[in-house]
Amino acid sequence: VDFLKAEYEKHNGADDTHDVLTNGGSTMSVHDVATLCKMFFRELPSPLVPHTHYDVLMDAVRTEHASKEELIKATVDVVRSLPDPNKSLLGMLLNFLS
């Protein structure tokens, strides 16, 4: 995993990074990719959901809602209030996971 991270950083996220992560003669498992993803999120300068939004988000999902639509609206409202870079990264993560 350290080798893959170093290779990625050496190429500075350039378009050929896909080749670094898929070729390169090393065997890589899905666990290695998951570890790289976890490392990326751990090393962010601030959390994906900033501390200022975390409690609000947790309150939104913990609150008893009359309907599923109200839960979705409350969650979307919090996500929309995130800073643009965080919102964009969250969108990419959710897209990747879907």
Side-chain angles (χ1 to χ4, degrees):
V1 172
D2 290 334
F3 167 78
L4 294 172
K5 181 181 177 204
E7 283 297 303
Y8 178 82
E9 289 173 350
K10 181 170 83 176
H11 292 277
N12 199 22
D15 289 340
D16 64 345
T17 302
H18 179 73
D19 294 335
V20 170
L21 296 177
T22 57
N23 299 326
S26 66
T27 57
M28 187 172 71
S29 73
V30 68
H31 303 289
D32 296 328
V33 175
T35 300
L36 284 172
C37 288
K38 289 188 326 187
M39 287 173 68
F40 171 79
F41 285 103
R42 272 192 219 120
E43 293 177 2
L44 287 174
S46 65
L48 181 59
V49 176
H51 299 292
T52 55
H53 291 73
Y54 181 80
D55 288 334
V56 177
L57 180 61
M58 290 296 99
D59 288 344
V61 295
R62 289 183 188 137
T63 302
E64 293 284 332
H65 295 279
S67 68
K68 183 177 178 180
E69 289 76 23
E70 288 179 2
L71 170 62
I72 292 170
K73 183 189 178 319
T75 305
V76 167
D77 288 346
V78 174
V79 170
R80 284 188 177 146
S81 73
L82 291 172
D84 287 338
N86 300 57
K87 197 177 342 179
S88 178
L89 182 56
L90 179 61
M92 286 186 257
L93 174 64
L94 294 174
N95 186 47
F96 171 74
L97 294 174
S98 66

Coordinates of all heavy atoms in Angstrom, one line a residue:
V1 N 0.8 -1.2 0.0 CA 0.0 0.0 0.0 C 0.9 1.2 0.0 O 0.6 2.2 -0.7 CB -1.0 0.0 1.2 CG1 -1.7 1.3 1.3 CG2 -1.9 -1.1 1.1
D2 N 1.9 1.2 0.8 CA 2.8 2.4 0.8 C 3.4 2.6 -0.6 O 3.6 3.8 -1.0 CB 4.0 2.2 1.9 CG 3.4 2.2 3.3 OD1 2.4 2.9 3.5 OD2 4.0 1.6 4.2
F3 N 3.8 1.6 -1.3 CA 4.3 1.7 -2.6 C 3.3 2.4 -3.5 O 3.6 3.3 -4.3 CB 4.7 0.3 -3.2 CG 5.0 0.4 -4.7 CD1 6.2 0.8 -5.2 CD2 4.0 -0.1 -5.6 CE1 6.4 0.9 -6.5 CE2 4.3 0.0 -6.9 CZ 5.5 0.4 -7.4
L4 N 2.1 1.9 -3.5 CA 1.0 2.5 -4.3 C 0.8 4.0 -4.0 O 0.7 4.8 -4.9 CB -0.3 1.7 -4.2 CG -0.2 0.3 -4.7 CD1 -1.5 -0.4 -4.3 CD2 0.0 0.3 -6.2
K5 N 0.8 4.3 -2.7 CA 0.6 5.7 -2.4 C 1.8 6.6 -2.9 O 1.6 7.6 -3.4 CB 0.5 5.8 -0.8 CG 0.3 7.3 -0.4 CD 0.2 7.4 1.1 CE 0.1 8.8 1.5 NZ 0.5 9.1 2.8
A6 N 3.0 6.0 -2.7 CA 4.2 6.8 -3.2 C 4.2 7.0 -4.7 O 4.5 8.0 -5.2 CB 5.5 6.0 -2.8
E7 N 3.7 5.9 -5.4 CA 3.6 6.0 -6.9 C 2.6 7.1 -7.3 O 2.8 7.9 -8.2 CB 3.3 4.7 -7.5 CG 4.5 3.7 -7.6 CD 5.6 4.3 -8.5 OE1 5.3 4.5 -9.7 OE2 6.7 4.4 -8.0
Y8 N 1.5 7.1 -6.6 CA 0.4 8.0 -6.9 C 0.9 9.5 -6.6 O 0.8 10.3 -7.4 CB -0.8 7.8 -6.0 CG -1.9 8.8 -6.3 CD1 -2.8 8.7 -7.3 CD2 -2.1 9.9 -5.4 CE1 -3.8 9.6 -7.6 CE2 -3.1 10.8 -5.6 CZ -3.9 10.7 -6.7 OH -4.9 11.6 -6.9
E9 N 1.6 9.7 -5.5 CA 2.1 11.0 -5.2 C 3.2 11.4 -6.1 O 3.3 12.6 -6.4 CB 2.5 11.0 -3.7 CG 1.4 10.9 -2.7 CD 1.8 10.8 -1.3 OE1 3.0 10.5 -1.0 OE2 0.9 10.9 -0.4
K10 N 4.0 10.5 -6.6 CA 5.1 10.8 -7.5 C 4.5 11.3 -8.8 O 5.1 12.2 -9.4 CB 5.9 9.5 -7.8 CG 7.1 9.7 -8.7 CD 8.0 8.5 -8.8 CE 7.5 7.5 -9.7 NZ 8.4 6.4 -9.9
H11 N 3.4 10.8 -9.2 CA 2.8 11.2 -10.5 C 1.8 12.4 -10.2 O 1.2 12.9 -11.1 CB 2.0 10.1 -11.1 CG 2.9 9.0 -11.6 ND1 3.6 9.1 -12.8 CD2 3.4 7.8 -11.1 CE1 4.3 8.1 -13.0 NE2 4.2 7.3 -12.0
N12 N 1.7 12.8 -8.9 CA 0.9 14.0 -8.6 C -0.5 13.9 -9.1 O -1.1 14.9 -9.5 CB 1.6 15.2 -9.0 CG 1.1 16.4 -8.3 OD1 0.6 16.3 -7.2 ND2 1.3 17.6 -8.9
G13 N -1.1 12.7 -9.1 CA -2.5 12.6 -9.5 C -2.7 12.8 -11.0 O -3.9 13.1 -11.4
A14 N -1.7 12.7 -11.8 CA -1.8 12.9 -13.2 C -2.7 11.8 -13.8 O -3.1 10.8 -13.2 CB -0.5 12.9 -13.9
D15 N -3.1 12.0 -15.1 CA -4.0 11.1 -15.8 C -3.5 9.7 -15.9 O -4.2 8.8 -16.0 CB -4.4 11.7 -17.2 CG -5.3 12.9 -17.1 OD1 -5.9 13.1 -16.0 OD2 -5.3 13.6 -18.1
D16 N -2.2 9.6 -15.9 CA -1.6 8.2 -16.0 C -1.6 7.5 -14.7 O -1.1 6.4 -14.6 CB -0.2 8.3 -16.6 CG 0.8 9.0 -15.7 OD1 0.4 9.7 -14.8 OD2 2.0 8.9 -15.9
T17 N -2.2 8.0 -13.6 CA -2.2 7.4 -12.3 C -3.0 6.1 -12.4 O -2.6 5.1 -11.8 CB -2.9 8.3 -11.3 OG1 -2.2 9.5 -11.2 CG2 -3.0 7.6 -9.9
H18 N -4.0 6.0 -13.3 CA -4.7 4.8 -13.5 C -3.8 3.6 -13.8 O -3.9 2.5 -13.3 CB -5.8 4.9 -14.6 CG -6.6 3.7 -14.8 ND1 -7.5 3.3 -13.9 CD2 -6.5 2.8 -15.8 CE1 -8.1 2.1 -14.4 NE2 -7.5 1.9 -15.6
D19 N -2.8 3.9 -14.7 CA -1.8 2.8 -15.0 C -1.0 2.5 -13.8 O -0.6 1.3 -13.6 CB -0.9 3.3 -16.2 CG -1.7 3.5 -17.5 OD1 -2.7 2.9 -17.6 OD2 -1.2 4.3 -18.3
V20 N -0.6 3.4 -13.0 CA 0.2 3.1 -11.8 C -0.6 2.2 -10.9 O 0.0 1.3 -10.3 CB 0.5 4.4 -11.1 CG1 1.1 4.1 -9.7 CG2 1.5 5.3 -11.9
L21 N -1.9 2.4 -10.7 CA -2.7 1.6 -9.8 C -3.1 0.3 -10.4 O -3.4 -0.6 -9.6 CB -3.9 2.4 -9.4 CG -3.6 3.7 -8.6 CD1 -4.9 4.4 -8.2 CD2 -2.8 3.4 -7.3
T22 N -3.1 0.1 -11.7 CA -3.6 -1.1 -12.3 C -2.4 -2.0 -12.8 O -2.6 -3.2 -12.9 CB -4.6 -0.9 -13.4 OG1 -4.0 0.0 -14.4 CG2 -5.8 -0.2 -12.9
N23 N -1.3 -1.4 -13.2 CA -0.3 -2.2 -13.8 C 0.9 -2.2 -12.9 O 0.8 -2.4 -11.7 CB 0.1 -1.6 -15.2 CG -1.0 -1.7 -16.2 OD1 -1.8 -2.6 -16.1 ND2 -1.1 -0.7 -17.0
G24 N 2.1 -1.9 -13.3 CA 3.2 -1.7 -12.5 C 3.8 -3.0 -12.0 O 4.7 -3.0 -11.2
G25 N 3.3 -4.2 -12.4 CA 3.8 -5.4 -12.0 C 3.6 -5.9 -10.6 O 3.9 -7.0 -10.2
S26 N 2.9 -5.1 -9.8 CA 2.6 -5.6 -8.4 C 1.2 -6.1 -8.4 O 0.3 -5.8 -9.2 CB 2.7 -4.4 -7.5 OG 1.7 -3.4 -7.7
T27 N 1.0 -7.0 -7.5 CA -0.3 -7.6 -7.3 C -1.0 -6.7 -6.3 O -0.5 -6.3 -5.2 CB -0.3 -9.0 -6.7 OG1 0.4 -9.0 -5.5 CG2 0.3 -9.9 -7.8
M28 N -2.3 -6.3 -6.6 CA -3.0 -5.4 -5.7 C -4.4 -6.0 -5.5 O -5.0 -6.4 -6.4 CB -3.1 -4.0 -6.4 CG -3.7 -3.0 -5.6 SD -3.6 -1.3 -6.3 CE -4.8 -1.5 -7.6
S29 N -4.8 -5.9 -4.3 CA -6.1 -6.5 -4.0 C -7.1 -5.4 -3.7 O -6.7 -4.2 -3.6 CB -6.1 -7.4 -2.7 OG -5.9 -6.6 -1.6
V30 N -8.4 -5.7 -3.6 CA -9.4 -4.7 -3.3 C -9.1 -4.1 -1.9 O -9.5 -3.0 -1.7 CB -10.8 -5.4 -3.4 CG1 -11.0 -6.4 -2.3 CG2 -11.9 -4.3 -3.3
H31 N -8.5 -4.9 -1.0 CA -8.2 -4.4 0.3 C -7.1 -3.3 0.2 O -7.2 -2.3 1.0 CB -7.7 -5.5 1.2 CG -8.7 -6.7 1.3 ND1 -9.8 -6.5 2.0 CD2 -8.7 -7.9 0.7 CE1 -10.5 -7.7 1.9 NE2 -9.8 -8.5 1.1
D32 N -6.2 -3.4 -0.7 CA -5.2 -2.3 -0.9 C -5.9 -1.0 -1.4 O -5.5 0.0 -0.9 CB -4.2 -2.7 -2.0 CG -3.3 -3.9 -1.5 OD1 -3.1 -4.1 -0.3 OD2 -2.9 -4.7 -2.4
V33 N -6.8 -1.1 -2.3 CA -7.5 0.0 -2.8 C -8.3 0.6 -1.6 O -8.3 1.9 -1.4 CB -8.4 -0.3 -4.0 CG1 -9.3 0.9 -4.4 CG2 -7.6 -0.8 -5.1
A34 N -9.0 -0.2 -0.8 CA -9.8 0.3 0.3 C -8.9 1.0 1.3 O -9.2 2.1 1.9 CB -10.5 -0.8 1.0
T35 N -7.7 0.5 1.5 CA -6.8 1.1 2.5 C -6.3 2.4 2.0 O -6.2 3.4 2.7 CB -5.6 0.1 2.7 OG1 -6.0 -1.1 3.3 CG2 -4.5 0.7 3.6
L36 N -6.0 2.5 0.7 CA -5.6 3.8 0.1 C -6.8 4.8 0.3 O -6.5 6.0 0.6 CB -5.3 3.7 -1.4 CG -4.0 3.0 -1.8 CD1 -3.9 2.8 -3.3 CD2 -2.8 3.9 -1.3
C37 N -8.0 4.4 0.0 CA -9.1 5.3 0.2 C -9.2 5.8 1.7 O -9.4 7.0 1.9 CB -10.4 4.7 -0.2 SG -10.6 4.5 -2.0
K38 N -9.1 4.9 2.6 CA -9.1 5.3 4.0 C -8.0 6.2 4.4 O -8.2 7.2 5.1 CB -9.1 4.0 4.9 CG -10.3 3.2 4.8 CD -10.4 2.0 5.8 CE -9.1 1.4 6.2 NZ -9.3 0.2 7.0
M39 N -6.8 5.9 3.8 CA -5.7 6.8 4.1 C -6.0 8.2 3.6 O -5.7 9.2 4.2 CB -4.4 6.3 3.5 CG -3.8 5.1 4.2 SD -2.5 4.3 3.3 CE -1.2 5.6 3.5
F40 N -6.5 8.3 2.4 CA -6.8 9.6 1.8 C -7.7 10.4 2.7 O -7.5 11.6 3.0 CB -7.5 9.4 0.4 CG -8.0 10.7 -0.2 CD1 -7.2 11.6 -0.8 CD2 -9.4 11.0 -0.1 CE1 -7.7 12.7 -1.4 CE2 -9.9 12.1 -0.7 CZ -9.0 13.0 -1.3
F41 N -8.8 9.8 3.1 CA -9.8 10.5 4.0 C -9.2 10.9 5.3 O -9.5 11.9 5.9 CB -11.1 9.8 4.1 CG -11.9 9.9 2.9 CD1 -12.0 8.8 2.0 CD2 -12.6 11.0 2.6 CE1 -12.7 8.9 0.8 CE2 -13.3 11.1 1.4 CZ -13.4 10.1 0.5
R42 N -8.3 10.0 5.9 CA -7.7 10.3 7.2 C -6.7 11.5 7.1 O -6.5 12.2 8.0 CB -6.9 9.1 7.7 CG -7.8 8.2 8.5 CD -6.9 7.1 9.2 NE -7.6 5.9 9.2 CZ -7.1 4.8 8.6 NH1 -6.0 4.7 8.1 NH2 -7.9 3.7 8.6
E43 N -6.1 11.6 5.9 CA -5.1 12.6 5.7 C -5.6 14.0 5.2 O -4.8 14.9 5.0 CB -4.0 12.1 4.8 CG -3.2 11.0 5.5 CD -2.1 10.3 4.6 OE1 -2.0 10.8 3.4 OE2 -1.5 9.4 5.0
L44 N -6.9 14.1 5.0 CA -7.5 15.4 4.6 C -7.2 16.4 5.7 O -7.2 16.1 6.9 CB -9.0 15.2 4.4 CG -9.5 14.5 3.2 CD1 -11.0 14.4 3.2 CD2 -9.0 15.2 1.9
P45 N -6.9 17.6 5.3 CA -6.7 18.7 6.4 C -7.8 18.9 7.3 O -7.6 19.3 8.5 CB -6.4 19.9 5.5 CG -6.7 19.6 4.1 CD -6.9 18.1 4.0
S46 N -9.1 18.7 6.8 CA -10.2 18.7 7.7 C -11.2 17.6 7.3 O -11.1 17.1 6.2 CB -10.9 20.1 7.6 OG -11.4 20.3 6.3
P47 N -12.0 17.2 8.2 CA -12.9 16.0 7.9 C -13.8 16.3 6.7 O -14.2 17.5 6.4 CB -13.7 15.8 9.1 CG -13.0 16.6 10.2 CD -12.2 17.6 9.5
L48 N -14.3 15.3 6.1 CA -15.2 15.4 5.0 C -16.5 16.1 5.4 O -17.0 17.0 4.8 CB -15.6 14.0 4.4 CG -16.6 14.0 3.2 CD1 -16.0 14.8 2.0 CD2 -16.8 12.5 2.8
V49 N -17.0 15.7 6.6 CA -18.1 16.5 7.2 C -17.4 17.3 8.4 O -17.0 16.7 9.4 CB -19.2 15.6 7.8 CG1 -20.3 16.3 8.5 CG2 -19.8 14.7 6.7
P50 N -17.3 18.6 8.2 CA -16.6 19.4 9.2 C -17.2 19.3 10.6 O -18.4 19.0 10.7 CB -16.7 20.8 8.6 CG -17.0 20.7 7.2 CD -17.7 19.4 7.1
H51 N -16.5 19.6 11.6 CA -17.0 19.5 12.9 C -18.2 20.4 13.1 O -19.1 20.1 13.9 CB -15.9 19.9 13.9 CG -14.7 19.0 13.9 ND1 -14.7 17.7 14.3 CD2 -13.4 19.2 13.5 CE1 -13.5 17.1 14.1 NE2 -12.7 18.0 13.6
T52 N -18.2 21.5 12.4 CA -19.3 22.5 12.5 C -20.6 21.9 12.0 O -21.7 22.4 12.3 CB -19.0 23.8 11.8 OG1 -18.6 23.5 10.4 CG2 -17.8 24.5 12.4
H53 N -20.5 20.9 11.2 CA -21.7 20.3 10.5 C -22.1 18.9 11.1 O -23.2 18.4 10.9 CB -21.5 20.2 9.0 CG -21.5 21.5 8.3 ND1 -20.4 22.4 8.4 CD2 -22.4 22.1 7.5 CE1 -20.7 23.4 7.7 NE2 -21.9 23.3 7.1
Y54 N -21.1 18.3 11.8 CA -21.3 16.9 12.2 C -22.5 16.8 13.1 O -23.3 15.9 12.9 CB -20.0 16.4 12.9 CG -20.1 15.0 13.3 CD1 -20.0 14.0 12.4 CD2 -20.4 14.7 14.7 CE1 -20.1 12.6 12.8 CE2 -20.6 13.3 15.1 CZ -20.4 12.3 14.1 OH -20.5 11.0 14.5
D55 N -22.6 17.6 14.2 CA -23.7 17.4 15.1 C -25.0 17.7 14.5 O -26.0 17.0 14.7 CB -23.5 18.3 16.4 CG -22.4 17.8 17.3 OD1 -22.1 16.6 17.3 OD2 -21.8 18.7 18.0
V56 N -25.1 18.7 13.6 CA -26.3 19.0 12.9 C -26.7 17.8 12.0 O -27.9 17.4 12.0 CB -26.1 20.3 12.0 CG1 -27.4 20.6 11.2 CG2 -25.7 21.4 12.9
L57 N -25.8 17.2 11.3 CA -26.1 16.0 10.5 C -26.5 14.9 11.3 O -27.5 14.2 11.0 CB -24.8 15.6 9.7 CG -25.0 14.4 8.8 CD1 -26.1 14.7 7.7 CD2 -23.7 14.1 8.1
M58 N -25.9 14.6 12.4 CA -26.3 13.5 13.3 C -27.7 13.7 13.9 O -28.5 12.8 14.0 CB -25.3 13.3 14.4 CG -23.9 12.7 14.0 SD -24.0 11.1 13.2 CE -24.1 11.4 11.5
D59 N -28.0 15.0 14.3 CA -29.3 15.3 14.8 C -30.4 15.1 13.7 O -31.4 14.6 14.0 CB -29.4 16.8 15.2 CG -28.6 17.0 16.5 OD1 -28.3 16.0 17.2 OD2 -28.3 18.2 16.8
A60 N -30.0 15.4 12.4 CA -31.0 15.2 11.3 C -31.3 13.7 11.1 O -32.4 13.4 10.9 CB -30.4 15.8 10.0
V61 N -30.3 12.9 11.2 CA -30.6 11.5 11.0 C -31.1 10.7 12.2 O -31.7 9.7 12.1 CB -29.3 10.7 10.4 CG1 -29.0 11.3 9.0 CG2 -28.2 10.8 11.3
R62 N -30.9 11.3 13.4 CA -31.4 10.7 14.6 C -32.8 11.1 15.0 O -33.5 10.4 15.7 CB -30.5 11.0 15.8 CG -29.1 10.3 15.7 CD -28.3 10.6 17.0 NE -27.0 10.1 16.8 CZ -25.9 10.8 17.2 NH1 -26.0 12.0 17.7 NH2 -24.7 10.2 17.0
T63 N -33.2 12.2 14.5 CA -34.5 12.8 14.8 C -35.6 11.9 14.2 O -35.5 11.4 13.1 CB -34.7 14.2 14.3 OG1 -33.6 15.0 14.8 CG2 -36.0 14.8 14.6
E64 N -36.7 11.7 15.0 CA -37.9 11.0 14.5 C -38.5 11.9 13.4 O -38.9 13.0 13.7 CB -38.9 10.8 15.7 CG -38.4 9.8 16.7 CD -38.4 8.3 16.3 OE1 -39.3 8.0 15.4 OE2 -37.6 7.6 16.7
H65 N -38.7 11.3 12.3 CA -39.3 12.0 11.2 C -40.6 11.3 10.8 O -40.8 10.1 10.9 CB -38.4 12.0 9.9 CG -37.2 12.8 10.1 ND1 -37.1 14.2 10.0 CD2 -35.9 12.4 10.4 CE1 -35.9 14.6 10.3 NE2 -35.1 13.6 10.5
A66 N -41.6 12.1 10.5 CA -42.9 11.6 10.1 C -42.9 10.7 8.9 O -43.6 9.8 8.7 CB -43.9 12.7 10.0
S67 N -41.9 11.0 8.0 CA -41.8 10.2 6.8 C -40.4 10.1 6.3 O -39.5 10.9 6.7 CB -42.7 10.9 5.7 OG -42.1 12.1 5.3
K68 N -40.2 9.2 5.4 CA -38.9 9.0 4.8 C -38.5 10.3 4.0 O -37.3 10.7 4.0 CB -38.9 7.8 3.8 CG -37.6 7.5 3.2 CD -37.7 6.3 2.3 CE -36.4 6.0 1.6 NZ -36.4 4.8 0.8
E69 N -39.4 11.0 3.4 CA -39.2 12.2 2.7 C -38.7 13.3 3.6 O -37.8 14.1 3.2 CB -40.4 12.7 1.9 CG -40.8 11.8 0.7 CD -41.5 10.5 1.1 OE1 -42.1 10.4 2.3 OE2 -41.4 9.5 0.3
E70 N -39.2 13.4 4.8 CA -38.7 14.4 5.8 C -37.3 14.1 6.2 O -36.5 15.0 6.3 CB -39.6 14.5 7.0 CG -41.0 15.1 6.7 CD -41.9 15.1 7.9 OE1 -41.5 14.7 9.0 OE2 -43.0 15.6 7.8
L71 N -37.0 12.8 6.4 CA -35.6 12.5 6.7 C -34.6 12.8 5.6 O -33.6 13.4 5.8 CB -35.5 11.0 7.0 CG -34.1 10.4 7.1 CD1 -33.4 11.0 8.3 CD2 -34.1 8.9 7.3
I72 N -35.0 12.5 4.4 CA -34.2 12.9 3.2 C -34.0 14.4 3.1 O -32.9 14.9 2.9 CB -34.8 12.3 1.9 CG1 -34.7 10.7 1.9 CG2 -34.1 12.8 0.7 CD1 -35.5 10.0 0.8
K73 N -35.1 15.1 3.3 CA -35.0 16.6 3.2 C -34.1 17.1 4.2 O -33.2 18.0 4.0 CB -36.4 17.2 3.3 CG -36.3 18.8 3.2 CD -37.6 19.4 3.5 CE -37.6 20.9 3.4 NZ -36.4 21.6 3.9
A74 N -34.2 16.7 5.5 CA -33.3 17.1 6.6 C -31.9 16.8 6.3 O -31.0 17.7 6.5 CB -33.7 16.5 7.9
T75 N -31.6 15.6 5.7 CA -30.2 15.3 5.4 C -29.7 16.1 4.2 O -28.6 16.6 4.3 CB -30.2 13.8 5.1 OG1 -30.7 13.0 6.2 CG2 -28.7 13.3 4.8
V76 N -30.5 16.3 3.2 CA -30.1 17.1 2.0 C -29.8 18.5 2.5 O -28.9 19.1 2.0 CB -31.2 17.0 0.9 CG1 -30.9 18.0 -0.1 CG2 -31.2 15.6 0.3
D77 N -30.6 19.1 3.3 CA -30.4 20.4 3.8 C -29.0 20.6 4.5 O -28.3 21.6 4.2 CB -31.5 20.9 4.8 CG -32.8 21.1 4.1 OD1 -32.9 21.2 2.9 OD2 -33.8 21.2 4.9
V78 N -28.6 19.6 5.3 CA -27.3 19.7 5.9 C -26.2 19.5 4.9 O -25.3 20.3 4.9 CB -27.2 18.6 7.0 CG1 -25.8 18.6 7.5 CG2 -28.2 18.8 8.1
V79 N -26.4 18.6 3.9 CA -25.4 18.4 2.9 C -25.2 19.6 2.1 O -24.1 20.0 1.7 CB -25.7 17.1 2.0 CG1 -24.8 17.1 0.8 CG2 -25.6 15.9 2.9
R80 N -26.3 20.3 1.7 CA -26.2 21.5 0.9 C -25.5 22.6 1.7 O -25.0 23.5 1.0 CB -27.6 22.0 0.5 CG -28.2 21.1 -0.6 CD -29.5 21.7 -1.0 NE -30.0 20.9 -2.2 CZ -31.3 20.7 -2.4 NH1 -32.2 21.2 -1.6 NH2 -31.7 20.0 -3.4
S81 N -25.5 22.6 3.0 CA -24.8 23.6 3.7 C -23.3 23.4 3.9 O -22.6 24.2 4.4 CB -25.5 23.8 5.1 OG -25.1 22.7 6.0
L82 N -22.8 22.2 3.4 CA -21.4 21.9 3.5 C -20.6 22.9 2.6 O -21.2 23.4 1.6 CB -21.1 20.5 3.0 CG -21.6 19.4 3.9 CD1 -21.4 18.0 3.2 CD2 -20.9 19.4 5.3
P83 N -19.4 23.2 2.9 CA -18.5 24.0 2.0 C -18.5 23.2 0.6 O -18.5 22.0 0.6 CB -17.2 24.0 2.7 CG -17.5 23.7 4.1 CD -18.7 22.8 4.1
D84 N -18.3 24.0 -0.4 CA -18.4 23.4 -1.8 C -17.4 22.3 -2.0 O -17.7 21.3 -2.6 CB -18.2 24.5 -2.8 CG -19.4 25.4 -3.0 OD1 -20.5 25.0 -2.6 OD2 -19.3 26.5 -3.5
P85 N -16.1 22.5 -1.6 CA -15.1 21.3 -1.8 C -15.6 20.0 -1.1 O -15.5 19.0 -1.6 CB -13.8 21.8 -1.2 CG -13.9 23.3 -1.2 CD -15.4 23.6 -1.0
N86 N -16.1 20.2 0.1 CA -16.6 19.0 0.9 C -17.8 18.4 0.2 O -17.9 17.2 0.1 CB -16.9 19.4 2.3 CG -15.8 20.0 3.1 OD1 -15.2 20.9 2.6 ND2 -15.4 19.4 4.2
K87 N -18.7 19.2 -0.3 CA -19.9 18.8 -0.9 C -19.5 18.0 -2.2 O -20.0 16.9 -2.5 CB -20.8 19.9 -1.3 CG -22.2 19.6 -1.6 CD -23.1 20.8 -1.9 CE -22.5 22.1 -1.3 NZ -23.4 23.3 -1.6
S88 N -18.5 18.6 -3.0 CA -18.1 17.9 -4.2 C -17.4 16.6 -3.9 O -17.7 15.6 -4.6 CB -17.1 18.9 -4.9 OG -16.6 18.3 -6.1
L89 N -16.6 16.5 -2.9 CA -15.9 15.3 -2.6 C -16.9 14.2 -2.1 O -16.8 13.1 -2.4 CB -14.8 15.5 -1.5 CG -14.0 14.3 -1.1 CD1 -13.3 13.6 -2.3 CD2 -12.9 14.7 -0.1
L90 N -17.9 14.7 -1.3 CA -18.9 13.7 -0.8 C -19.7 13.2 -2.0 O -20.0 12.0 -2.0 CB -19.8 14.4 0.2 CG -21.0 13.6 0.7 CD1 -20.4 12.4 1.5 CD2 -21.8 14.4 1.7
G91 N -20.0 14.0 -2.9 CA -20.7 13.6 -4.1 C -19.9 12.6 -4.9 O -20.5 11.5 -5.4
M92 N -18.6 12.8 -5.1 CA -17.8 11.8 -5.8 C -17.7 10.5 -5.0 O -17.7 9.4 -5.6 CB -16.4 12.4 -6.0 CG -16.3 13.5 -7.0 SD -14.6 14.0 -7.4 CE -14.6 15.5 -6.5
L93 N -17.6 10.6 -3.7 CA -17.5 9.4 -2.9 C -18.8 8.6 -3.0 O -18.8 7.3 -3.3 CB -17.3 9.7 -1.4 CG -17.3 8.5 -0.4 CD1 -16.2 7.5 -0.8 CD2 -17.2 9.0 1.0
L94 N -19.9 9.2 -2.9 CA -21.2 8.5 -3.0 C -21.4 8.0 -4.4 O -21.9 6.8 -4.6 CB -22.4 9.4 -2.6 CG -22.4 9.9 -1.2 CD1 -23.5 10.9 -0.9 CD2 -22.5 8.7 -0.2
N95 N -21.0 8.7 -5.4 CA -21.1 8.2 -6.8 C -20.2 6.9 -7.0 O -20.6 5.9 -7.6 CB -20.6 9.3 -7.8 CG -20.9 8.8 -9.2 OD1 -21.9 8.3 -9.6 ND2 -19.9 9.1 -10.1
F96 N -19.0 7.0 -6.4 CA -18.1 5.8 -6.5 C -18.7 4.6 -5.8 O -18.6 3.5 -6.2 CB -16.7 6.2 -5.8 CG -15.8 5.1 -5.6 CD1 -15.1 4.5 -6.7 CD2 -15.6 4.5 -4.4 CE1 -14.3 3.4 -6.5 CE2 -14.7 3.4 -4.2 CZ -14.1 2.9 -5.3
L97 N -19.3 4.8 -4.6 CA -19.9 3.7 -3.8 C -21.2 3.2 -4.4 O -21.6 2.1 -4.1 CB -20.1 4.2 -2.4 CG -18.9 4.5 -1.6 CD1 -19.2 5.1 -0.2 CD2 -17.9 3.3 -1.5
S98 N -21.8 3.9 -5.3 CA -23.1 3.5 -5.8 C -23.0 2.5 -6.9 O -22.0 2.2 -7.5 CB -23.9 4.6 -6.3 OG -23.4 5.2 -7.4

